[in-house]
Amino acid sequence: MRQRPGPDELERLAAAILGDDPLQDDPKDRSYAQRLAAKALAIAGHDRLHGAADRTVELRLFAAVWDAAVVNAAGADDENRIAALNRRLAAEIRAGDWDAAPGALRELLTAQVRARLARTNPKYLKSRMPEA
Amino acid sequence: MNDEGRAALARWLAAAAGADDLWIASLDKLSGGAIQENWGLTVEAGGKRQDWVLRTDAPSGVSTSHTRPQEFALLRVAHEAGVTVPEPLFLCEDASVFGKPFYVMARVAGRAEGHVLVRDEAVAAAGDALVERLGRELARIHAIRPPRGDLDFLAMPDGPPALWRIATYRRYLDAMPDPNPALEYALRWLERRAPESREITLCHSDFRTGNIMIDGARITGILDWEFAGWSDPMEDVAWFCARCWRFGAWEREAGGIGSREAFYRGYEAESGREIERAVIPYWEVMGAIRWAVIALQQGERHLTGGEESLELALTGLRAPEMELDALLDIAAIDAGVAA
């Protein structure tokens, strides 16, 4: 699922805060603004390393609940496919179409949320799901 | 603020306070307040120094929050009901005095920051006694019942409050560019299990660590009434206990400060009514979803609202924390193992 801002914007925002001053090595020595910048850089770094793989995993999760043909026909590229499939899933959930299959749906959603938390707050993910 | 503006404010305050010799000793904008702007105001009149807070709109108020005159009315009602709030003093609706409507209240001592309070030694030592007193405070708020002519600006839910909330959060999600299946799932789950509320009372609707001023181990003020409204009182009880407001002190389930049972004990002693324990986990899921939606709205202020801010952007990226809480809580409730 698309999470914004993406890495380019996060790096730009962090750079605007940091200016020419490097981040303090010890997090305890950082100001609040510097801590925000460090967080933004960490998320952007995750995106650079794992962004493409995360999209592949998400499409695989969708393929487990819908036909591969449905997944492939959803958009021109991975990003558009994921956006279209999430839009469809959200609408179907609201309409009650998934009421009869809560287990499969919860598995998909938990995997999605885990992936997003691995990006934005891996420490929190670990505290809630040590096995993750 | 320039000298002319300060003089105009002093004249207005002097008239409101009935003190011709009143003058402003200091006026400084206080930190925090994404929705409202708070100014520390010290005045002298009749040889006596008084510390007040002037509260007005921030440039980008969230549209769902009350106006300052409405918030002032809420503060007065709460004060009269014996809730520990900063004493509301004066309301000014004339925008020519300060540039926008404002009100003045007494300044209370203490700190409200959640991440500080949950690690404070005096707070930790008083833990259960403190949350028991907070339970009493909340019960006093919930003793305020509709109808109230002085609160006629508050909308009354036209059905179960839970369904009202769900419709509101869906409307907020629909206004965002990206769909969110996890939040839709939680909202659908909440919709199918929406409780009939036993009663409707005034709810603070943001009664949590972070909005409560504490000095040592003393509660000095319940703050931030901008979301107060008529609702199911159990929603407030659950919001205070929701995981997202424990600031990392997970084991102290009542606001990261004390035990859930101590909080309940104070509430029940003051109100004479039992907490509906069976519905609290439901409302905690609602609370997680609410905070997730608010976080996304804050993120949108940066993404599409023209307010460039890394802090807002990162707040939006916190939504998955609450989504995971909701998913895990729902799984536990469905499995019959919820707290």
Side-chain angles (χ1 to χ4, degrees), chain B residues 230-251:
Chain B
W230 304 123
S231 191
D232 185 323
M234 295 304 104
E235 185 179 23
D236 264 352
V237 172
W239 184 246
F240 184 74
C241 296
R243 190 179 166 84
C244 51
W245 299 122
R246 296 180 200 160
F247 295 92
W250 312 123
E251 73 288 359

Side-chain angles (χ1 to χ4, degrees), chain B residues 177-217:
Chain B
D178 296 317
N180 191 310
L183 292 181
E184 291 290 348
Y185 167 75
L187 287 168
R188 177 68 182 155
W189 184 91
L190 290 163
E191 181 178 46
R192 297 177 73 204
R193 291 156 184 79
E196 284 294 332
S197 292
R198 195 169 67 181
E199 56 189 344
I200 301 287
T201 70
L202 184 67
C203 287
H204 181 282
S205 296
D206 205 7
F207 188 93
R208 61 167 176 88
T209 303
N211 282 337
I212 296 160
M213 196 75 121
I214 294 176
D215 186 27

Side-chain angles (χ1 to χ4, degrees), chain B residues 143-295:
Chain B
I144 301 165
R145 307 295 176 90
R148 297 269 316 208
D150 47 1
L151 299 179
D152 62 1
F153 54 89
L154 298 179
M156 180 61 71
D158 56 2
L163 293 179
W164 201 45
R165 294 287 191 230
I166 291 163
T168 302
Y169 302 150
R170 281 179 172 158
R171 206 165 53 245
Y172 293 159
L173 288 177
D174 289 344
M176 292 177 195
D178 296 317
N180 191 310
L183 292 181
E184 291 290 348
Y185 167 75
L187 287 168
R188 177 68 182 155
W189 184 91
L190 290 163
E191 181 178 46
R192 297 177 73 204
R193 291 156 184 79
E196 284 294 332
S197 292
R198 195 169 67 181
E199 56 189 344
I200 301 287
T201 70
L202 184 67
C203 287
H204 181 282
S205 296
D206 205 7
F207 188 93
R208 61 167 176 88
T209 303
N211 282 337
I212 296 160
M213 196 75 121
I214 294 176
D215 186 27
R218 192 169 57 95
I219 301 159
T220 53
I222 310 298
L223 310 177
D224 290 342
W225 290 76
E226 64 256 36
F227 298 110
W230 304 123
S231 191
D232 185 323
M234 295 304 104
E235 185 179 23
D236 264 352
V237 172
W239 184 246
F240 184 74
C241 296
R243 190 179 166 84
C244 51
W245 299 122
R246 296 180 200 160
F247 295 92
W250 312 123
E251 73 288 359
R252 298 198 289 273
E253 294 185 358
I257 295 174
S259 72
R260 189 185 287 267
E261 275 310 313
F263 178 61
Y264 288 3
R265 191 164 58 240
Y267 183 93
E268 290 174 339
E270 184 73 24
S271 67
R273 298 189 308 281
E274 273 189 26
I275 297 266
E276 296 172 72
R277 285 165 173 72
V279 301
I280 298 298
Y282 173 93
W283 283 108
E284 285 187 30
V285 173
M286 185 76 85
I289 297 312
R290 178 185 178 204
W291 179 204
V293 170
I294 292 172

